[in-house]
Amino acid sequence: MDKKKQRALAQWLKGQSKLGKTWLMAAIGLAFLSGLLLIAQAALLAHILHELIVVKTDKHELWFSFFALAIVVLIRALCSWGKEQAGYRVGETVRTHVRQLIMDKLHTLGPATIHGKPAGTWASLLLEQVEEMQDFFARYLPQMAIAVLIPFIILVAVFPLNWAAGLIFLLTAPLVPFFMALVGMGAADANRRNFKALQRLSGHFYDRLRGLPTIRLFDQADAEAKHLKVASEDFRKRTMEVLRLAFLSSAVLEFFTALSVAITAVYFGFSYIGELNFGHYGTSISLFIGLFVLILAPEFYQPLRDLGSFYHAKAQAIGAAESIVNFLDSAPEHQSQGSQKIAADAVTIVAEDLEVLSPDGAILAGPMSFTIEAGKKVALVGQSGAGKTSLINALLGFLPYRGSLQMNGVELKNADLSHWRKQISWVGQNPQLFHGTVQDNIALSAPMATESDIHRVAKAAYADEFIQRLEKGYQHPVGDRATGISVGQAQRIAVARALLQNGHFWLLDEPTASLDASSERLVMTSLEHATKHTTCLLVSHRIDQLGTSDFILVMDKGKLVQNGTFESLKHQGLFAEMIQSVDRSDLDA
């Protein structure tokens, strides 16, 4: 990664910190107060030792100094605790915001883009990579200010007592950040490579985990285990590379800090034996001054050492931010939306020279022109790969397009997509049910729906009869990916969910593809009642389901090759071939 991009990413990260500015200022303020108390602590400790060793004062006479020292130590501890809490809140605020940005972007891009990458990749982006920015905001950013403020106030305290010690501090301090930057030059690149390896490993592992039954059935477990081993070994090497840089950075910082403190100690040692006679403004160097400066010496470099320790947090955050910023800045070609409201009425769809595009601008389907009149039931048919799914995604606003696609006279790219999707009742071939209860999953389309409404649509979808047999009825728990209920039951829940939304446009994408004959009959009966007076687009491979359609659109290789009624198409072209293939299948059966 070039330096220009690193600076741009660092600026983006700092820009996000404005969200937690109050907590950031609190963390810096508490650290500054702790620095002032540090000087008081050093002065009290040096005073006590000077009085006990040189003046021979009775320790009982120094009770106030001991008491004051204990109070200062306690307050410093509270300041450190408050600083950690405030720093954590900075990171928490920013992480929550960045995750929301990612979720909003995913919502905008839609499922077509999401399905283009393994689920593990998105999980890594949303979880691990956002989490890796925590220490940058919680520790590194506050430490940048602390690394300037604390050494400055220590110099202010030391210079009036001994200018030589102050000069040693001043001259040696730049060595720490200089070598820290020198060692850390490659840290951001190492972290970026590490995150890419983590994304690959996450995607690989999650996909194999989902497909484990298939892998076992085809006896490919050993082969997949070897692939996973290779991916994990690559991730291990990347991680060790990052750790080597982190340990090297820490070792360099410790060396130069120890060297600087040693120079200060040697100076005072030679001054006490009379070998050095400068830096004291013409007065003798007392034990108090020597102890005061030597106690502060490690603390002078400590903020710089901490900054160096947290420097890897900056490198981690930059490595993580690259993928996040690239994702947030990505904009599928031609995809846009406006604010025009599509009239909440029976939907008429008019497409002229429509070309459906992939997120990166490649043509997936088209050009095609067709009209779906309000209140009509239209079937969309074609072999697998014909472009049906691409067209559906365009209608839903999930894919960009060229040409014209109007809903009730409003161009879709100028429409408020959120408002448009609220008018759509959708039932797919693999309905997604979420962790919760049966009632929660039905109410997904209308969270404010009453129990009576939920029961009504469940009965209309022929779902009530099996729900009542469940142990807890509508409160029966449903696991992720419909765990705990059958495919047919899940499909009827999805139909009930669509009925509850009561949209003006019904989109049925192979709604009976995975059902047995009994479940298929129940689902189709409920859907026919629900779509009787609405605009409906049915995507199906089942020719026997198309007889009740008012109009049929036939697609092949991304093109609209036929359109018309069932009667007008059944004796010609691709549609006739599809009917004949079904008839031959029935005879073979």
Side-chain angles (χ1 to χ4, degrees):
M1 188 191 305
D2 58 67
K3 292 183 178 180
K4 184 178 179 180
K5 188 166 188 178
Q6 286 192 33
R7 286 194 294 269
L9 292 172
Q11 286 298 117
W12 181 85
L13 287 167
K14 290 177 183 177
Q16 303 307 308
S17 68
K18 294 177 182 178
L19 298 165
K21 186 176 181 180
T22 301
W23 288 112
L24 183 61
M25 291 297 103
I28 295 172
L30 287 169
F32 182 73
L33 177 60
S34 179
L36 294 176
L37 293 171
L38 169 66
I39 294 174
Q41 178 181 319
L44 286 168
L45 191 57
H47 168 71
I48 291 170
L49 292 174
H50 179 81
E51 291 294 320
L52 291 175
I53 296 171
V54 178
V55 183
K56 306 295 184 182
T57 304
D58 189 281
K59 61 180 178 294
H60 295 95
E61 297 180 15
L62 298 173
W63 67 269
F64 181 79
S65 297
F66 281 109
F67 178 75
L69 181 61
I71 294 297
V72 169
V73 171
L74 178 61
I75 297 175
R76 281 197 68 208
L78 290 174
C79 287
S80 297
W81 176 82
K83 170 182 167 290
E84 289 296 320
Q85 290 294 314
Y88 175 80
R89 296 299 180 189
V90 178
E92 182 184 45
T93 302
V94 175
R95 283 186 293 116
T96 301
H97 174 70
V98 172
R99 282 199 175 102
Q100 188 60 53
L101 289 177
I102 294 173
M103 292 299 292
D104 291 343
K105 188 69 175 183
L106 287 171
H107 182 266
T108 300
L109 294 176
T113 299
I114 296 173
H115 292 161
K117 291 184 180 180
T121 299
W122 298 118
S124 175
L125 181 72
L126 196 59
L127 299 176
E128 286 96 340
Q129 292 188 235
V130 174
E131 201 65 32
E132 287 294 339
M133 297 193 298
Q134 168 69 18
D135 281 352
F136 175 83
F137 297 104
R139 298 178 181 277
Y140 181 77
L141 275 187
Q143 197 63 36
M144 286 183 66
I146 295 167
V148 175
L149 292 174
I150 302 301
F152 175 75
I153 60 175
I154 290 177
L155 285 175
V156 171
V158 168
F159 259 110
L161 298 176
N162 190 287
W163 61 263
L167 194 61
I168 292 173
F169 289 172
L170 193 61
L171 292 176
T172 54
L175 292 175
V176 176
F178 173 75
F179 283 98
M180 175 183 70
L182 194 63
V183 172
M185 283 177 64
D189 280 335
N191 276 281
R192 178 175 58 84
R193 291 191 295 270
N194 189 48
F195 281 124
K196 288 186 179 297
L198 177 60
Q199 282 188 336
R200 287 194 298 271
L201 179 60
S202 297
H204 186 96
F205 177 74
Y206 184 76
D207 285 348
R208 269 55 183 180
L209 190 64
R210 290 178 61 184
L212 190 58
T214 304
I215 292 171
R216 295 286 296 274
L217 287 171
F218 284 94
D219 195 25
Q220 292 297 309
D222 291 339
E224 290 300 330
K226 291 178 182 178
H227 291 317
L228 189 61
K229 182 179 180 180
V230 171
S232 59
E233 180 65 17
D234 180 53
F235 179 61
R236 184 191 69 80
K237 290 179 180 178
R238 304 294 186 191
T239 302
M240 293 305 298
E241 183 182 359
V242 173
L243 289 175
R244 280 197 299 270
L245 286 170
F247 286 131
L248 177 60
S249 176
S250 297
V252 169
L253 294 176
E254 291 295 333
F255 172 76
F256 283 103
T257 299
L259 184 64
S260 302
V261 173
I263 293 173
T264 306
V266 168
Y267 162 73
F268 278 106
F270 276 97
S271 295
Y272 284 135
I273 63 176
E275 295 297 325
L276 295 178
N277 189 28
F278 62 88
H280 47 70
Y281 300 108
T283 60
S284 60
I285 301 177
S286 65
L287 181 63
F288 169 82
I289 293 175
L291 288 173
F292 178 72
V293 174
L294 287 174
I295 291 170
L296 289 179
E299 301 296 339
F300 176 83
Y301 299 103
Q302 188 61 44
L304 296 170
R305 293 166 63 191
D306 289 341
L307 183 63
S309 300
F310 299 149
Y311 188 80
H312 74 280
K314 177 186 177 183
Q316 280 183 329
I318 289 177
E322 182 185 27
S323 296
I324 294 172
V325 171
N326 287 343
F327 172 68
L328 294 177
D329 288 344
S330 64
E333 189 178 348
H334 309 292
Q335 180 165 314
S336 62
Q337 67 170 313
S339 57
Q340 294 184 37
K341 305 290 186 184
I342 296 173
D345 199 354
V347 175
T348 297
I349 301 175
V350 178
E352 294 182 4
D353 298 323
L354 174 67
E355 289 183 331
V356 183
L357 309 174
S358 69
D360 58 4
I363 298 176
L364 299 176
M368 65 185 86
S369 299
F370 60 86
T371 298
I372 299 177
E373 297 179 2
K376 298 295 185 180
K377 183 178 180 180
V378 177
L380 179 63
V381 299
Q383 303 294 340
S384 296
K388 302 186 301 296
T389 301
S390 297
L391 177 57
I392 290 172
N393 278 319
L395 293 173
L396 293 171
F398 292 140
L399 281 178
Y401 67 88
R402 282 196 295 256
S404 176
L405 180 59
Q406 295 186 2
M407 314 296 182
N408 286 347
V410 177
E411 191 67 42
L412 188 59
K413 64 179 64 175
N414 299 326
D416 182 336
L417 293 180
S418 178
H419 180 265
W420 161 238
R421 289 168 188 153
K422 289 178 181 177
Q423 301 183 53
I424 301 172
S425 287
W426 173 81
V427 180
Q429 55 182 307
N430 295 306
Q432 178 69 55
L433 300 189
F434 299 93
H435 183 79
T437 65
V438 170
Q439 180 168 307
D440 293 336
N441 276 279
I442 294 176
L444 182 67
S445 60
M448 303 305 294
T450 63
E451 283 193 20
S452 61
D453 289 334
I454 292 172
H455 293 179
R456 174 179 55 80
V457 296
K459 289 177 181 178
Y462 297 96
D464 183 72
E465 52 95 8
F466 82 79
I467 294 175
Q468 296 293 353
R469 295 198 304 267
L470 297 174
E471 183 180 352
K472 296 183 179 180
Y474 284 87
Q475 300 306 315
H476 183 79
V478 178
D480 295 329
R481 304 180 65 81
T483 305
I485 60 176
S486 70
V487 175
Q489 291 170 343
Q491 195 73 335
R492 280 183 267 175
I493 289 175
V495 173
R497 186 162 59 194
L499 287 169
L500 189 61
Q501 185 160 358
N502 194 27
H504 296 95
F505 175 51
W506 280 72
L507 184 52
L508 310 177
D509 184 8
E510 300 281 1
T512 62
S514 304
L515 302 183
D516 56 65
S518 177
S519 296
E520 177 184 341
R521 178 175 48 80
L522 292 174
V523 167
M524 288 307 299
T525 300
S526 62
L527 289 174
E528 285 173 8
H529 284 105
T531 60
K532 188 171 293 184
H533 302 294
T534 62
T535 306
C536 176
L537 179 62
L538 170 65
V539 181
S540 179
H541 286 97
R542 297 291 303 272
I543 302 299
D544 57 334
Q545 294 178 354
L546 307 182
T548 59
S549 300
D550 298 309
F551 202 71
I552 297 174
L553 302 175
V554 184
M555 292 190 67
D556 184 41
K557 298 178 181 178
K559 305 290 185 179
L560 185 61
V561 294
Q562 284 182 284
N563 62 84
T565 64
F566 185 91
E567 292 297 324
S568 65
L569 298 177
K570 68 179 183 180
H571 297 301
Q572 58 179 327
L574 179 62
F575 189 70
E577 293 177 9
M578 294 173 64
I579 294 177
Q580 291 171 8
S581 65
V582 172
D583 291 339
R584 283 195 297 271
S585 298
D586 292 340
L587 288 172
D588 293 339

